[in-house]
Amino acid sequence: MADGAQSAEDPAHARDPGSTADPRSTPDDPDAPETDAQRRRRRAQFLRELHEAKALRDRVQPRRVKAARMRQAMRMRTFRW
């Protein structure tokens, strides 16, 4: 079961009705519009993790990396402006 559905059923996680916080500003709300800052933060995190995963793959598969480098070099040599 998703955390969002579970927290909606659980009264311990219910929002205080007297709270002045904007209910649409919570990250748990799927209907809330995402701000540019949140999107950039999420994108930066994704790109960091992607770079880390590629670096790990390069370290554990050096033969594949060398072959990919050779193919890229061949493409660059045969490319014409």
Side-chain angles (χ1 to χ4, degrees), residues 5-41:
Q6 187 178 8
S7 64
E9 296 170 3
D10 189 3
H13 291 96
R15 187 178 302 260
D16 181 20
S19 175
T20 59
D22 182 17
R24 298 192 50 85
S25 66
T26 62
D28 298 346
D29 189 8
D31 297 332
E34 185 177 42
T35 64
D36 285 342
Q38 289 171 330
R39 185 185 63 79
R40 284 192 302 269
R41 197 173 302 115

